[in-house]
Amino acid sequence: AALALLLAHSRVIIARRAAARWARSAMGLRGSDRVTKVCRLLGVAVVTLTMLHAASKPEPVRRPAPTMLEHRRRVSGATYAARIPRVVHQTWMSRQLPRGLADCVQTWVKSGWEWRLHTDADNLELVNGSYPALLSLYMSLPPVAQADIARLLYMHKWGGVYADLDVCRLEPLDPLLEAAASGAVPFGDGGGDGGGGGGGRGG
Protein backbone atom coordinates (compact mmCIF):
# COMPACT_ATOMS: atom_id res chain seq x y z
CA ALA A 1 0.00 0.00 0.00
CA ALA A 2 2.86 2.40 0.86
CA LEU A 3 4.57 1.74 -2.48
CA ALA A 4 1.33 2.40 -4.33
CA LEU A 5 0.94 5.73 -2.53
CA LEU A 6 4.49 6.75 -3.43
CA LEU A 7 3.91 5.92 -7.09
CA ALA A 8 0.65 7.84 -7.11
CA HIS A 9 2.35 10.82 -5.44
CA SER A 10 5.14 10.79 -8.05
CA ARG A 11 2.65 10.73 -10.90
CA VAL A 12 0.79 13.67 -9.38
CA ILE A 13 4.00 15.73 -9.05
CA ILE A 14 4.89 15.07 -12.68
CA ALA A 15 1.38 15.97 -13.81
CA ARG A 16 1.40 19.09 -11.66
CA ARG A 17 4.65 20.34 -13.15
CA ALA A 18 3.43 19.66 -16.67
CA ALA A 19 0.21 21.53 -15.94
CA ALA A 20 2.16 24.48 -14.56
CA ARG A 21 4.34 24.68 -17.65
CA TRP A 22 1.31 24.51 -19.91
CA ALA A 23 -0.54 27.18 -17.97
CA ARG A 24 2.42 29.54 -18.02
CA SER A 25 2.87 29.07 -21.75
CA ALA A 26 -0.81 29.54 -22.51
CA MET A 27 -1.18 32.68 -20.41
CA GLY A 28 2.19 34.20 -21.25
CA LEU A 29 3.07 34.22 -17.56
CA ARG A 30 6.17 32.05 -17.35
CA GLY A 31 7.26 33.71 -14.16
CA SER A 32 3.85 34.19 -12.67
CA ASP A 33 3.72 33.30 -8.99
CA ARG A 34 -0.07 33.21 -9.16
CA VAL A 35 -0.18 30.39 -11.68
CA THR A 36 2.48 28.47 -9.76
CA LYS A 37 0.54 28.76 -6.52
CA VAL A 38 -2.69 27.64 -8.17
CA CYS A 39 -1.00 24.58 -9.66
CA ARG A 40 0.57 23.73 -6.34
CA LEU A 41 -2.78 23.95 -4.59
CA LEU A 42 -4.35 21.73 -7.22
CA GLY A 43 -1.53 19.23 -6.85
CA VAL A 44 -1.88 19.13 -3.06
CA ALA A 45 -5.61 18.61 -3.41
CA VAL A 46 -5.15 15.73 -5.85
CA VAL A 47 -2.52 14.06 -3.64
CA THR A 48 -4.75 14.44 -0.57
CA LEU A 49 -7.75 12.95 -2.36
CA THR A 50 -5.62 10.07 -3.69
CA MET A 51 -4.30 9.24 -0.21
CA LEU A 52 -7.78 9.42 1.30
CA HIS A 53 -9.14 7.14 -1.41
CA ALA A 54 -6.37 4.60 -0.88
CA ALA A 55 -6.81 4.70 2.89
CA SER A 56 -10.56 4.13 2.56
CA LYS A 57 -10.02 0.80 0.79
CA PRO A 58 -10.06 -2.00 3.39
CA GLU A 59 -7.26 -4.52 3.31
CA PRO A 60 -8.42 -7.84 1.83
CA VAL A 61 -9.12 -10.36 4.55
CA ARG A 62 -7.37 -13.65 3.94
CA ARG A 63 -9.46 -16.35 5.48
CA PRO A 64 -8.15 -19.88 5.95
CA ALA A 65 -9.59 -22.58 3.74
CA PRO A 66 -12.67 -24.19 5.32
CA THR A 67 -12.19 -27.51 7.01
CA MET A 68 -13.99 -30.58 5.71
CA LEU A 69 -16.47 -30.35 8.58
CA GLU A 70 -17.23 -26.69 7.79
CA HIS A 71 -17.60 -27.50 4.11
CA ARG A 72 -20.04 -30.29 4.86
CA ARG A 73 -22.17 -27.91 6.91
CA ARG A 74 -22.49 -25.65 3.87
CA VAL A 75 -23.25 -28.40 1.38
CA SER A 76 -26.35 -30.56 1.67
CA GLY A 77 -26.18 -34.33 2.01
CA ALA A 78 -27.92 -34.67 -1.34
CA THR A 79 -25.07 -32.77 -3.01
CA TYR A 80 -22.48 -35.09 -1.51
CA ALA A 81 -24.48 -38.15 -2.44
CA ALA A 82 -24.79 -36.91 -6.02
CA ARG A 83 -21.01 -36.97 -6.34
CA ILE A 84 -20.83 -40.70 -5.68
CA PRO A 85 -21.02 -42.80 -8.87
CA ARG A 86 -23.98 -45.18 -8.87
CA VAL A 87 -21.83 -48.31 -8.97
CA VAL A 88 -21.74 -51.22 -6.51
CA HIS A 89 -18.47 -53.18 -6.32
CA GLN A 90 -18.14 -56.72 -4.97
CA THR A 91 -15.33 -59.25 -5.22
CA TRP A 92 -14.88 -63.03 -5.14
CA MET A 93 -12.32 -65.59 -6.24
CA SER A 94 -14.22 -66.36 -9.44
CA ARG A 95 -17.57 -65.64 -11.05
CA GLN A 96 -18.97 -68.82 -9.49
CA LEU A 97 -20.46 -67.38 -6.32
CA PRO A 98 -21.31 -69.45 -3.21
CA ARG A 99 -24.97 -70.48 -3.16
CA GLY A 100 -25.43 -69.28 0.38
CA LEU A 101 -24.64 -65.71 -0.64
CA ALA A 102 -26.91 -65.54 -3.68
CA ASP A 103 -29.80 -63.84 -1.85
CA CYS A 104 -27.60 -61.03 -0.52
CA VAL A 105 -25.92 -60.54 -3.88
CA GLN A 106 -29.29 -60.19 -5.58
CA THR A 107 -30.22 -57.29 -3.29
CA TRP A 108 -27.32 -55.37 -4.84
CA VAL A 109 -27.94 -56.54 -8.38
CA LYS A 110 -31.50 -55.23 -8.09
CA SER A 111 -30.53 -51.98 -6.36
CA GLY A 112 -30.97 -49.96 -9.55
CA TRP A 113 -27.26 -49.18 -9.60
CA GLU A 114 -24.62 -50.67 -11.87
CA TRP A 115 -23.30 -53.88 -10.28
CA ARG A 116 -19.73 -55.06 -10.81
CA LEU A 117 -18.20 -58.33 -9.63
CA HIS A 118 -14.41 -58.35 -9.55
CA THR A 119 -12.62 -61.70 -9.52
CA ASP A 120 -9.10 -62.35 -8.23
CA ALA A 121 -7.91 -62.23 -11.83
CA ASP A 122 -9.63 -58.86 -12.32
CA ASN A 123 -8.00 -57.54 -9.16
CA LEU A 124 -4.54 -58.61 -10.28
CA GLU A 125 -5.11 -56.96 -13.65
CA LEU A 126 -6.23 -53.76 -11.93
CA VAL A 127 -3.12 -53.61 -9.74
CA ASN A 128 -0.76 -54.56 -12.56
CA GLY A 129 -2.30 -52.12 -15.04
CA SER A 130 -3.18 -49.09 -12.93
CA TYR A 131 -1.10 -49.44 -9.75
CA PRO A 132 2.14 -51.21 -10.74
CA ALA A 133 4.01 -49.71 -7.78
CA LEU A 134 1.81 -51.85 -5.49
CA LEU A 135 2.26 -55.07 -7.43
CA SER A 136 5.18 -56.46 -5.40
CA LEU A 137 3.40 -55.80 -2.10
CA TYR A 138 0.11 -57.11 -3.47
CA MET A 139 1.63 -60.42 -4.59
CA SER A 140 3.25 -60.96 -1.19
CA LEU A 141 -0.09 -60.86 0.64
CA PRO A 142 -2.63 -63.64 1.26
CA PRO A 143 -5.87 -63.57 -0.79
CA VAL A 144 -7.92 -61.95 1.96
CA ALA A 145 -5.48 -59.04 2.29
CA GLN A 146 -5.33 -58.73 -1.49
CA ALA A 147 -9.11 -58.34 -1.56
CA ASP A 148 -8.86 -55.66 1.13
CA ILE A 149 -6.43 -53.68 -1.00
CA ALA A 150 -8.46 -54.22 -4.16
CA ARG A 151 -11.66 -52.77 -2.75
CA LEU A 152 -9.82 -49.57 -1.81
CA LEU A 153 -8.49 -49.36 -5.34
CA TYR A 154 -12.06 -49.68 -6.68
CA MET A 155 -12.97 -46.53 -4.77
CA HIS A 156 -9.89 -44.67 -5.96
CA LYS A 157 -10.24 -45.60 -9.62
CA TRP A 158 -14.00 -45.69 -10.15
CA GLY A 159 -15.75 -44.53 -6.98
CA GLY A 160 -19.11 -45.88 -5.91
CA VAL A 161 -19.98 -48.25 -3.07
CA TYR A 162 -18.28 -51.45 -1.98
CA ALA A 163 -20.14 -54.26 -0.18
CA ASP A 164 -19.01 -57.69 0.95
CA LEU A 165 -20.92 -60.58 -0.58
CA ASP A 166 -22.39 -61.53 2.78
CA VAL A 167 -23.91 -58.06 3.30
CA CYS A 168 -27.51 -57.58 2.15
CA ARG A 169 -29.03 -54.30 1.06
CA LEU A 170 -32.12 -53.63 3.15
CA GLU A 171 -32.94 -50.07 2.05
CA PRO A 172 -32.47 -47.88 -1.04
CA LEU A 173 -28.96 -46.50 -1.27
CA ASP A 174 -29.63 -42.87 -2.19
CA PRO A 175 -31.45 -41.83 1.02
CA LEU A 176 -28.79 -43.63 3.03
CA LEU A 177 -25.98 -41.70 1.36
CA GLU A 178 -27.84 -38.41 1.69
CA ALA A 179 -28.25 -39.03 5.41
CA ALA A 180 -24.59 -39.85 5.83
CA ALA A 181 -23.52 -36.80 3.76
CA SER A 182 -19.98 -38.03 3.27
CA GLY A 183 -17.78 -39.34 0.47
CA ALA A 184 -17.44 -42.91 1.78
CA VAL A 185 -20.05 -44.90 3.67
CA PRO A 186 -19.14 -48.20 5.37
CA PHE A 187 -21.56 -51.08 4.92
CA GLY A 188 -21.75 -54.09 7.20
CA ASP A 189 -20.01 -54.62 10.53
CA GLY A 190 -16.60 -55.63 9.16
CA GLY A 191 -17.00 -59.14 10.52
CA GLY A 192 -17.90 -60.97 7.34
CA ASP A 193 -14.60 -62.86 6.97
CA GLY A 194 -13.05 -62.54 10.38
CA GLY A 195 -10.43 -60.29 8.86
CA GLY A 196 -12.28 -57.04 8.15
CA GLY A 197 -13.72 -57.77 4.70
CA GLY A 198 -12.92 -59.76 1.60
CA GLY A 199 -16.46 -60.69 0.58
CA GLY A 200 -16.99 -63.36 3.22
CA ARG A 201 -13.70 -65.15 2.50
CA GLY A 202 -12.22 -67.17 5.26
CA GLY A 203 -8.95 -65.87 6.58
Side-chain angles (χ1 to χ4, degrees):
L3 180 59
L5 288 176
L6 288 175
L7 291 174
H9 184 64
S10 300
R11 294 192 185 100
V12 169
I13 291 176
I14 294 172
R16 184 181 64 189
R17 291 176 179 176
R21 287 194 298 268
W22 176 84
R24 289 170 184 169
S25 176
M27 299 177 64
L29 300 172
R30 289 187 176 274
S32 174
D33 292 337
R34 180 178 299 177
V35 174
T36 302
K37 290 181 180 179
V38 170
C39 291
R40 286 179 178 175
L41 289 174
L42 289 174
V44 170
V46 170
V47 171
T48 303
L49 290 174
T50 302
M51 295 178 66
L52 290 175
H53 178 69
S56 65
K57 291 183 178 180
E59 289 291 331
V61 179
R62 296 184 178 181
R63 300 178 180 177
T67 63
M68 181 60 71
L69 180 58
E70 292 172 341
H71 184 62
R72 288 179 181 176
R73 290 173 178 172
R74 300 174 187 175
V75 182
S76 68
T79 301
Y80 269 102
R83 297 177 181 176
I84 300 176
R86 270 40 184 172
V87 182
V88 177
H89 301 274
Q90 295 189 297
T91 183
W92 187 245
M93 294 178 288
S94 66
R95 300 202 177 276
Q96 188 67 35
L97 300 178
R99 293 182 179 179
L101 300 177
D103 291 341
C104 281
V105 170
Q106 284 301 309
T107 64
W108 297 105
V109 173
K110 298 178 180 179
S111 64
W113 287 24
E114 180 183 350
W115 178 75
R116 297 182 186 176
L117 176 66
H118 304 271
T119 65
D120 286 354
D122 295 332
N123 293 340
L124 178 58
E125 183 179 353
L126 172 63
V127 175
N128 189 38
S130 300
Y131 305 93
L134 298 177
L135 183 60
S136 178
L137 172 63
Y138 182 83
M139 296 302 297
S140 68
L141 298 174
V144 173
Q146 289 180 349
D148 289 339
I149 291 180
R151 60 183 177 178
L152 296 177
L153 299 183
Y154 306 154
M155 299 298 100
H156 182 266
K157 185 173 180 62
W158 296 298
V161 170
Y162 172 84
D164 285 344
L165 293 179
D166 56 355
V167 175
C168 298
R169 180 185 63 85
L170 302 179
E171 298 180 1
L173 295 178
D174 292 277
L176 178 62
L177 296 185
E178 292 175 11
S182 65
V185 180
F187 288 87
D189 57 6
D193 61 359
R201 305 187 191 193

